[in-house]
Amino acid sequence: MKNKILVTENISIEISKHKIEIFTRIPFNIQVSFEETIDPTLDEGGELFGKRYQLNIFAKPKYMDECMSIDDVSYSISNYRELKAFWKFVENNKNNLFDMAGYEGEVEA
């Protein structure tokens, strides 16, 4: 089952089993993933409790912006604002995204 979330006007997330895909119309390559950490989680008795994961967010511009007018500057700023809103959404909802992607364990704070 795939879950689709429209995060901003131009950025959406599609989540399936252990896979998170980002679709965007702004000029960025964006990736979101959960990476298993080396240190396992132990319960109170010292027994292995579960896997721990770290949220990774990566964004890279597809090309170098060239601004030749105030409109170009405004366009670039609006793209970065949208990227910032997306970033905040992912960080604030990482536990839900983790569960929707079918991971078992816990996400580091």
Side-chain angles (χ1 to χ4, degrees), residues 4-16:
K4 294 181 182 180
I5 303 168
L6 182 62
V7 179
T8 69
E9 186 177 318
N10 293 303
I11 305 173
S12 63
I13 300 175
E14 188 172 285
I15 304 167
S16 57

Side-chain angles (χ1 to χ4, degrees), residues 44-60:
E44 292 175 7
E47 298 294 318
L48 187 62
F49 182 67
K51 296 178 182 178
R52 294 180 68 181
Y53 291 84
Q54 174 182 318
L55 171 65
N56 294 321
I57 306 171
F58 172 82
K60 181 179 180 182

Side-chain angles (χ1 to χ4, degrees), residues 27-62:
F28 286 88
N29 291 318
I30 306 171
Q31 297 174 359
V32 174
S33 64
F34 291 99
E35 183 178 329
E36 188 176 344
T37 61
I38 296 172
D39 299 328
T41 304
L42 303 177
D43 66 12
E44 292 175 7
E47 298 294 318
L48 187 62
F49 182 67
K51 296 178 182 178
R52 294 180 68 181
Y53 291 84
Q54 174 182 318
L55 171 65
N56 294 321
I57 306 171
F58 172 82
K60 181 179 180 182
K62 291 182 179 178

Side-chain angles (χ1 to χ4, degrees), residues 17-18 50-53 98-99 102-106:
K17 184 74 173 175
H18 291 223
K51 296 178 182 178
R52 294 180 68 181
Y53 291 84
F98 183 80
D99 292 340
Y103 288 95
E104 293 188 21
E106 70 179 64

Side-chain angles (χ1 to χ4, degrees), residues 65-108:
D65 284 339
E66 291 184 16
C67 298
M68 300 173 83
S69 70
I70 192 73
D71 291 335
D72 293 343
V73 172
S74 296
Y75 177 74
S76 294
I77 289 170
S78 69
N79 286 336
Y80 279 97
R81 281 191 181 127
E82 199 159 351
L83 179 62
K84 182 179 178 181
F86 169 80
W87 206 290
K88 283 183 177 182
F89 174 86
V90 171
E91 286 182 340
N92 291 336
N93 292 284
K94 67 182 174 185
N95 290 322
N96 293 334
L97 297 173
F98 183 80
D99 292 340
M100 290 171 75
Y103 288 95
E104 293 188 21
E106 70 179 64
V107 181
E108 293 182 345

